[in-house]
Amino acid sequence: MCGIVAAVSPRNIVPILVQGLQRLEYRGYDSCGVAVHGASLGAAGGAGLQRARSTARVAELLAQVHTERLEGATGIAHTRWATHGAPAVHNAHPHFSHGTGNPADAPGRVALVHNGIIENHEALRAALQARGYMFASQTDTEVIAHLVDSYYNGDLFEAVQSAVAQLRGAYAIAVMHKDEPHRVVGARAGSPLILGVGPDSAEHFLASDAMALAGVTDQIVYLEEGDLVDLQPGRYWIVGKDRSALTPAQRPVRTVQAHSGAAELGPYRHYMQKEIFEQPRAIADTLEGLVDIVPELFDGPGQAGKPGAAAWRVFKDIDRVLILACGTSYYSGCTARYWLEDIAGIPTQVEVASEYRYRTSVPDPRTLVVTISQSGETADTLAALRHAQGLGMKHTLTICNVATSAMVRECELAYITRAGVEIGVASTKAFTTQLAGLFLLTLALAQSRGRLTPEQEAAHLQAMRHLPVALQAVLALEPQVIGWAEDFTRMENALFLGRGLHYPIALEGALKLKEISYIHAEAYPAGELKHGPLALVTSSMPVVTVAPNDALLEKLQSNLQEVRARGGMLYVLADADTRIESSEGVHVIRMPEHYGALSPILHVLPLQLLAYHTACARGTDVDKPRNLAKSVTVE
């Protein structure tokens, strides 16, 4: 992983390839590169495969391209997030195969970019080395390039088809060959890849994300699992996983508006800051069209008939909920568990998606499987979804920010959040819009089970509609949070505490701090403090506490006293009507209002701001934290 852009065109395609990489920078990466076929523009463009690679940002790659006068009408490009091999130029994509023998003695014959992980790369590497292939990198990707070369006999499509039959794992690839200057072949299995159809079909594109092609084409074909695609001037050809080349696979062309303007930074210092302050609008957009009959919001793709009919049918046919997610999305699911069991009265289980399919579980066909993903392409969550379906749990629903994603296409029902493009690796507005979608799911299930009176329904819906205003008031607390961040700048460890449905918010706050400031942070249910973590409390260990005025407040106050008795420094997010006061060693920020069941959505904003301003003060790369990627499309 992380990003692929490729093109076959009658014009110089290098500017479009590099621009596509720039639009994929939000995914995170540690190297980048572009390769073109010089002969694709005729004699004036040179001949053979040429490339430029860098471990700096795409802007540096662009400067290198200009210096080397790299031009071509056929090309591939990539941003890499290291899995096999360190972040270094020799491991950066595109990778070349030079045939057997010393790579230094021969020009490149095959150029290839790859997202995913090849699980059997070591066995393939050994077999290729035995045939005389020499490797210039530590990557699993170079294995594919040599494998394609080994099968090549005058037809690149046939060579790629033979090569991918040998691969185990996940891949999305784009491949060129020096003997076919006007051709790119792509393939996908387990990693996303789309086809972009250019104006008048004169040029065609491949990308891992439609956003890479914003402003270039809005005609998108979503390649399906196991597809191979052949791009040539004026035509493209798709072969499905049955590999029948005689009959092309029919894939619909969709009009997809991927607005590049959404990625503009504007007046903000970082994308993360921008996205924190976009949350009132993101929530308002997510709740647009909110109706009294909430299940109508959950129809899935391709559902026909009366709005909400499919959702009503599914909701009436289930007895429990299983939530599958990773990272921040997992914490949103943990919050939703409290809502679903309290308000809807339905037993709920939350599983880390990357672990779920590797343990023996007890399937129940009357379970609603809910997946949560910002991108809708998270590999672990997709694999967990398919595992649950394979166990016979057919009722599926996704909370997702991308309407055209694999997650949406593979689930029976969907609720599309409208957070817009999220560039910062540390998720903010995607998290709060997921919570909004999950609360609506709670109300929908409660309605279908007759668990709410009309008065309760009206009160919950009114609270939802008021959320954007309430969030705006919380953002006004930023100056006070900056004061806290000045203290945290000097710290190397922190504890976060919460009780009940605010415990997952403490987990999310700790995750944000460690992700972007690199301060070690852990979160615990406050009641667990005396069962171990209290041993860590000293004057140099700040303890951040989420303290809403709810039924657990008195017990939480006892936990705070335990911290103060050991000399711990408290940083408390308290509702306005709590009796927690600032004093020596106790720093209190008062929230504008108590917001009942929706309080987690408000309380997470100051924790996001705390992480952001602490990271700024420590001078870290806020939007692109080390070792992390935005869209995790490998296991």
Side-chain angles (χ1 to χ4, degrees):
M1 64 198 240
C2 246
I4 289 174
V5 192
V8 171
S9 172
R11 55 176 167 154
N12 177 28
I13 211 68
V14 172
I16 288 177
L17 295 177
V18 176
Q19 183 183 65
L21 294 186
Q22 289 173 325
R23 289 178 177 156
L24 295 178
E25 284 189 288
Y26 75 97
R27 288 172 169 245
Y29 65 103
D30 44 44
S31 64
C32 52
V34 59
V36 296
H37 201 306
S40 58
L41 283 176
L49 301 177
Q50 303 166 311
R51 68 181 169 186
R53 298 183 291 177
S54 174
T55 54
R57 294 303 181 199
V58 175
E60 168 62 28
L61 177 68
L62 179 59
Q64 186 178 338
V65 163
H66 286 158
T67 299
E68 298 178 12
R69 298 183 179 180
L70 212 63
E71 291 185 343
T74 303
I76 57 178
H78 190 266
T79 53
R80 174 181 186 253
W81 187 82
T83 54
H84 296 71
V89 171
H90 68 277
N91 287 325
H93 300 211
H95 284 284
F96 280 3
S97 175
H98 303 266
T100 56
N102 191 338
D105 297 334
R109 293 174 16 157
V110 170
L112 180 143
V113 293
H114 163 229
N115 284 352
I117 290 178
I118 304 305
E119 295 174 355
N120 61 332
H121 71 98
E122 291 180 346
L124 292 172
R125 179 184 289 259
L128 289 162
Q129 286 174 327
R131 297 177 59 181
Y133 283 91
M134 299 182 68
F135 286 77
S137 77
Q138 289 79 49
T139 67
D140 53 340
T141 300
E142 192 181 3
V143 168
I144 314 175
H146 290 322
L147 197 61
V148 171
D149 180 85
S150 73
Y151 281 110
Y152 188 77
N153 190 27
D155 189 301
L156 182 60
F157 187 86
E158 291 181 359
V160 171
Q161 186 170 355
S162 298
V164 298
Q166 305 300 314
L167 303 179
R168 291 203 313 271
Y171 58 83
I173 59 174
V175 195
M176 300 188 302
H177 195 280
K178 75 175 185 65
D179 293 342
E180 301 183 62
H182 303 288
R183 192 180 200 184
V184 170
V185 175
R188 66 147 299 191
S191 289
L193 191 66
I194 63 165
L195 163 68
V197 181
D200 302 320
S201 296
E203 56 188 7
H204 301 299
F205 308 88
L206 291 176
S208 48
D209 188 324
M211 187 174 171
L213 305 180
V216 177
T217 181
D218 61 359
Q219 300 300 294
I220 302 298
V221 176
Y222 288 91
L223 300 176
E224 296 184 6
E225 187 75 0
D227 278 357
L228 273 77
V229 58
D230 187 353
L231 273 60
Q232 298 183 42
R235 69 179 290 271
Y236 67 86
W237 188 275
I238 300 173
V239 171
K241 60 185 177 183
D242 62 355
R243 296 293 186 260
S244 173
L246 298 177
T247 305
Q250 300 301 313
R251 303 285 182 258
V253 179
R254 305 168 188 257
T255 300
V256 176
Q257 300 297 332
H259 298 291
S260 60
E264 297 300 326
L265 185 58
Y268 296 95
R269 184 177 174 186
H270 298 95
Y271 283 108
M272 183 177 179
Q273 183 187 30
K274 176 190 178 190
E275 289 153 13
I276 290 172
F277 278 85
E278 284 178 339
Q279 288 176 106
R281 178 207 52 80
I283 290 288
D285 290 348
T286 295
L287 300 179
E288 184 179 347
L290 182 60
V291 293
D292 291 341
I293 308 301
V294 179
E296 291 186 7
L297 300 172
F298 287 89
D299 270 345
Q303 299 287 357
K306 181 180 176 182
W312 276 111
R313 174 181 53 78
V314 170
F315 293 165
K316 290 288 188 180
D317 196 38
I318 62 163
D319 295 327
R320 57 197 314 109
V321 171
L322 169 64
I323 297 175
L324 304 172
C326 299
T328 284
S329 296
Y330 171 74
Y331 295 147
S332 70
C334 291
T335 306
R337 177 185 178 184
Y338 289 90
W339 290 334
L340 287 163
E341 296 197 336
D342 179 32
I343 299 173
I346 186 165
T348 300
Q349 181 180 355
V350 188
E351 293 266 4
V352 175
S354 58
E355 292 291 325
Y356 170 67
R357 67 189 174 118
Y358 294 113
R359 72 174 187 83
T360 301
S361 59
V362 182
D364 181 347
R366 292 183 62 83
T367 296
L368 176 64
V369 179
V370 177
T371 62
I372 312 169
S373 171
Q374 185 273 331
S375 67
E377 304 288 352
T378 308
D380 287 318
T381 309
L382 278 169
L385 167 67
R386 293 162 185 160
H387 177 69
Q389 291 170 324
L391 293 175
M393 293 185 281
K394 63 179 181 178
H395 293 314
T396 57
L397 181 150
T398 189
I399 307 288
C400 184
N401 193 43
V402 182
T404 54
S405 65
M407 205 82 71
V408 174
R409 296 196 302 272
E410 294 187 25
C411 282
E412 187 178 13
L413 303 174
Y415 186 81
I416 308 302
T417 60
R418 297 178 183 176
V421 176
E422 189 179 63
I423 304 297
V425 167
S427 181
T428 52
K429 62 178 180 175
F431 177 71
T432 49
T433 53
Q434 286 171 356
L435 288 176
L438 288 162
F439 193 78
L440 289 177
L441 174 61
T442 299
L443 297 185
L445 288 168
Q447 283 184 332
S448 68
R449 297 164 68 86
R451 291 273 302 185
L452 295 177
T453 67
E455 293 76 19
Q456 290 172 323
E457 291 180 15
H460 284 308
L461 292 173
Q462 178 56 32
M464 293 290 287
R465 294 185 178 102
H466 182 63
L467 266 177
V469 174
L471 290 169
Q472 201 68 56
V474 175
L475 290 172
L477 300 173
E478 184 182 30
Q480 298 178 58
V481 178
I482 292 174
W484 283 14
E486 292 172 355
D487 294 345
F488 276 71
T489 302
R490 302 184 297 272
M491 305 298 179
E492 293 301 329
N493 300 281
L495 287 176
F496 286 70
L497 302 178
R499 297 205 72 145
L501 61 88
H502 291 85
Y503 167 50
I505 299 306
L507 286 165
E508 173 64 9
L511 176 62
K512 286 292 156 284
L513 189 67
K514 72 180 79 171
E515 277 183 307
I516 62 170
S517 74
Y518 314 145
I519 293 173
H520 174 245
E522 299 295 338
Y524 292 90
E528 284 294 292
L529 192 62
K530 56 186 171 293
H531 295 290
L534 199 58
L536 298 173
V537 172
T538 67
S539 59
S540 60
M541 173 72 81
V543 179
V544 181
T545 307
V546 183
N549 189 9
D550 59 17
L552 291 171
L553 178 61
E554 288 188 2
K555 293 188 178 296
L556 181 62
Q557 287 175 313
S558 298
N559 303 138
L560 301 187
Q561 291 301 319
E562 293 171 352
V563 173
R564 284 302 299 134
R566 275 80 179 175
M569 303 294 289
L570 283 167
Y571 294 80
V572 185
L573 290 172
D575 283 344
D577 49 358
T578 61
R579 294 188 300 276
I580 302 175
E581 304 294 338
S582 294
S583 60
E584 183 179 356
V586 181
H587 308 271
V588 178
I589 292 179
R590 296 203 176 279
M591 300 289 286
E593 59 182 310
H594 176 56
Y595 219 68
L598 291 170
S599 174
I601 300 178
L602 273 66
H603 273 86
V604 77
L605 266 66
L607 300 181
Q608 295 170 350
L609 288 168
L610 176 62
Y612 172 72
H613 286 292
T614 301
C616 287
R618 289 168 68 95
T620 63
D621 191 343
V622 172
D623 288 330
K624 300 180 180 71
R626 66 190 183 203
N627 304 331
L628 299 180
K630 182 67 178 174
S631 183
V632 186
T633 55
V634 296
E635 185 180 355

